[in-house]
Amino acid sequence: MQAFDARFGLGWWTDPAVLVFQATVEQATAENAELVQSWIDLALRHRKEEIAEAGGLFIFHDWRSVRAYDTEARKAYLARMRARPRDYLRHSVTVISAASPLLRMAVETGNLVASMVAGRKVEIAHDPVAVMREHEIRPPAIGTRFPGTGRPSSRPPVAR
């Protein structure tokens, strides 16, 4: 495990320029959104060359545990996406429960923002294993650290 925060869940970095997030919360809040976005900012800042070489960051969200979200969570998440350079994202997949129509609507809103900001589409899926196979997402090598942290299991600071 590279990153864990009880306010959200897990995060890890792997090659080539892939961030994986797994939510463990049922209610997404602005605090959750800011935490995930701070982890993305750490990667963008500390792995800039690798991300550029890969053609942008691949972000894989496993949000199957999330059942609902606050309006402020959606606003915070989208605001941080809009603040980034156009070329930061190469692809994004969000896995949600098929029984979460409100969350699907939020992800689709994020899809519009991703299309406008990064020129990319956010893919919605229901099976994380299938997504990992399709996109060849592998666990990080032993000893790989989350970008911007000193130890593999340390909790990344909240970047602003």
Side-chain angles (χ1 to χ4, degrees):
M1 176 173 51
Q2 292 180 344
F4 173 77
D5 193 305
R7 297 172 295 171
F8 170 75
L10 306 162
W12 45 277
W13 167 270
T14 191
D15 292 321
V18 177
L19 279 178
V20 177
F21 298 109
Q22 183 179 21
T24 57
V25 297
E26 289 187 18
Q27 177 78 26
T29 65
E31 182 179 37
N32 306 140
E34 291 291 344
L35 178 65
V36 169
Q37 292 296 335
S38 72
W39 287 354
I40 294 169
D41 288 343
L42 283 171
L44 291 171
R45 190 167 45 254
H46 293 277
R47 299 294 181 101
K48 187 176 185 172
E49 293 80 24
E50 292 168 66
I51 293 169
E53 275 182 34
L57 192 57
F58 184 111
I59 300 176
F60 173 47
H61 296 286
D62 180 352
W63 289 352
R64 290 172 297 155
S65 69
V66 179
R67 301 289 178 246
Y69 65 92
D70 299 342
T71 300
E72 293 305 312
R74 181 182 52 80
K75 288 179 184 176
Y77 197 90
L78 298 178
R80 295 284 289 271
M81 282 178 68
R82 286 184 186 106
R84 293 202 178 98
R86 183 165 175 77
D87 62 350
Y88 88 95
L89 185 68
R90 83 172 179 268
H91 192 69
S92 182
V93 179
T94 302
V95 174
I96 59 173
S97 166
S100 296
L102 283 177
L103 188 58
R104 181 178 188 85
M105 195 167 66
V107 173
E108 287 173 349
T109 300
N111 194 2
L112 289 173
V113 172
S115 293
M116 291 185 305
V117 170
R120 301 289 187 249
K121 186 175 191 279
V122 176
E123 182 183 336
I124 298 173
H126 301 293
D127 181 357
V129 174
V131 170
M132 292 180 83
R133 280 188 191 131
E134 178 183 349
H135 295 282
E136 299 180 358
I137 299 172
R138 305 273 184 250
I142 294 173
T144 303
R145 291 171 167 76
F146 195 91
T149 64
R151 293 178 295 142
S153 61
S154 67
R155 185 169 119 183
V158 175
R160 300 269 179 213

